[in-house]
């Protein structure tokens, strides 16, 4: 591994944050080349840090202040001037451009919705949330690696975000959040079917994505199996029985690393 990832360095710290907080993205980045890791680890570490802010305190004002800290850091990166010293912010500033920093602002703003435990107003609001979190994150990661199109990245991000969110439903309920606007089996199946449609759309658009940027799509390796399980049996969401077999995940990750397709 590159010396950039030596223990004690910022990139090593980012990798550790992702390993502890987002195991699937960590595995996907480790399958990428070193150049992609320098870009993806800071972006995904940022995402882990921002996503957990609403759950770190019962005080909404404190959570808002912490999210604002990240919004301010991104504003500094986008402005190109002074950038605060931080184990994630510093390597993030080296990895992304001003437009990518502005895209990541969507992620911060969307996470403010997690501070209040209120349910989504409707299914449309839920998809907007997925687009502003996982969708914006995937678009930003792909753009930082050279993707100028964005269509495949957004569709992949929606599918990956939905799969991850459905897997988290039992934990979200345990934390006092009503996670779905409509929890009826037919409504949950409709969500999964739409997620699979986004995944298919993304695969069709993947031809517009340069090879170097396809490492940003690797987390999608589990999205298809998870969404197909939900479509077949929506009750699996409540039971938490959505994790695909490890052997299938490893094979999908290996195939993606060699073919650039997931």
């Amino acid at each position: 591994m590159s010396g950039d990832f030596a223990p004690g360095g910022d990139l090593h710290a980012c990798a550790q944050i992702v390993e502890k907080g987002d195991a699937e993205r960590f595995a996907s980045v480790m399958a990428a080349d070193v150049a992609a890791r320098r870009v993806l680890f800071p972006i995904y570490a940022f995402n882990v840090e921002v996503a957990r802010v609403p759950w770190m305190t019962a005080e909404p004002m404190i959570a808002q202040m912490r999210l604002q800290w990240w919004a301010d850091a991104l504003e500094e990166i986008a402005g190109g001037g002074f950038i605060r010293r931080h184990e994630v912010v510093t390597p993030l500033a080296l990895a992304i451009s001003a437009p990518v920093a502005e895209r990541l602002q969507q992620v911060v703003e969307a996470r403010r919705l997690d501070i209040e435990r209120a349910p989504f107003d409707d299914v449309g609001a839920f998809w907007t949330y997925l687009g502003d979190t996982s969708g914006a994150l995937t678009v930003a990661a792909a753009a930082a690696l050279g993707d100028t199109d964005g269509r495949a990245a957004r569709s992949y991000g929606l599918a990956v975000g939905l799969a991850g969110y459905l897997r988290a439903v039992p934990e979200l309920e345990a934390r006092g959040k009503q996670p779905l606007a409509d929890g009826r089996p037919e409504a949950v199946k409709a969500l999964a079917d739409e997620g699979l449609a986004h995944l298919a759309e993304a695969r069709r658009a993947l031809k517009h994505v340069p090879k170097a940027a396809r490492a940003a799509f690797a987390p999608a390796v589990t999205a298809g199996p998870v969404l197909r399980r939900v479509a077949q049996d929506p009750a699996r969401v409540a039971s938490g029985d959505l994790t695909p077999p490890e052997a299938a995940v490893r094979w999908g990750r290996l195939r993606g690393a060699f073919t650039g397709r997931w």
Side-chain angles (χ1 to χ4, degrees):
M1 184 178 288
S2 167
D4 292 342
F5 294 88
D10 287 338
L11 284 171
H12 183 260
C14 288
Q16 286 187 311
I17 290 169
V18 179
E19 183 178 20
K20 293 176 182 177
D22 193 341
E24 289 187 7
R25 283 196 171 94
F26 176 80
S28 74
V29 178
M30 290 303 295
D33 60 36
V34 172
R37 292 180 204 173
R38 292 192 188 101
V39 173
L40 295 177
F41 271 137
I43 292 174
Y44 293 157
F46 153 83
N47 185 59
V48 170
E49 295 288 88
V50 170
R52 70 184 185 181
V53 164
W55 310 101
M56 292 172 64
T57 176
E59 295 294 333
M61 184 62 69
I62 294 176
Q64 290 283 7
M65 291 171 62
R66 288 174 174 169
L67 286 176
Q68 188 59 47
W69 187 95
W70 285 101
D72 292 344
L74 288 171
E75 187 174 343
E76 290 170 2
I77 294 173
F82 167 82
I83 297 171
R84 64 195 65 191
R85 176 74 183 90
H86 184 267
E87 64 181 3
V88 174
V89 176
T90 302
L92 184 65
L94 296 173
I96 66 174
S97 63
V100 172
E102 292 167 359
R103 174 72 66 175
L104 291 177
Q105 288 278 15
Q106 285 182 254
V107 179
V108 176
E109 293 307 310
R111 289 299 177 185
R112 297 185 192 275
L113 295 176
D114 290 334
I115 295 174
E116 303 297 335
R117 305 299 189 247
F120 294 100
D121 291 336
D122 51 36
V123 174
F126 175 61
W127 279 110
T128 297
Y129 169 84
L130 293 179
D132 288 342
T133 51
S134 181
L137 179 71
T138 308
V139 171
L145 292 174
D147 177 29
T148 59
D149 185 80
R151 288 175 295 176
R154 180 168 176 78
S155 294
Y156 261 117
L158 286 169
V160 170
L162 176 63
Y165 193 92
L166 292 176
R167 291 174 70 179
V169 161
E171 181 180 356
L172 291 170
E173 289 179 334
R175 293 188 177 195
K177 185 176 180 67
Q178 185 176 329
L180 298 172
D182 188 344
R184 295 173 301 149
E186 58 267 35
V188 175
K189 182 183 185 306
L191 283 176
D193 287 339
E194 188 168 351
L196 288 168
H198 282 299
L199 200 57
E201 181 179 346
R203 286 175 175 147
R204 289 192 294 270
L206 195 59
K207 61 186 177 182
H208 301 294
V209 179
K211 185 177 180 180
R214 295 189 182 187
F217 296 78
V221 69
T222 59
V226 167
L227 295 176
R228 283 191 290 272
R229 285 183 169 216
V230 176
Q232 292 164 2
D233 183 5
R236 281 179 159 175
V237 172
S239 67
D241 180 26
L242 292 177
T243 303
E246 182 60 27
V249 174
R250 288 180 180 177
W251 164 245
R253 197 168 284 130
L254 182 64
R255 181 185 61 189
F258 278 100
T259 67
R261 300 187 69 86
W262 287 272

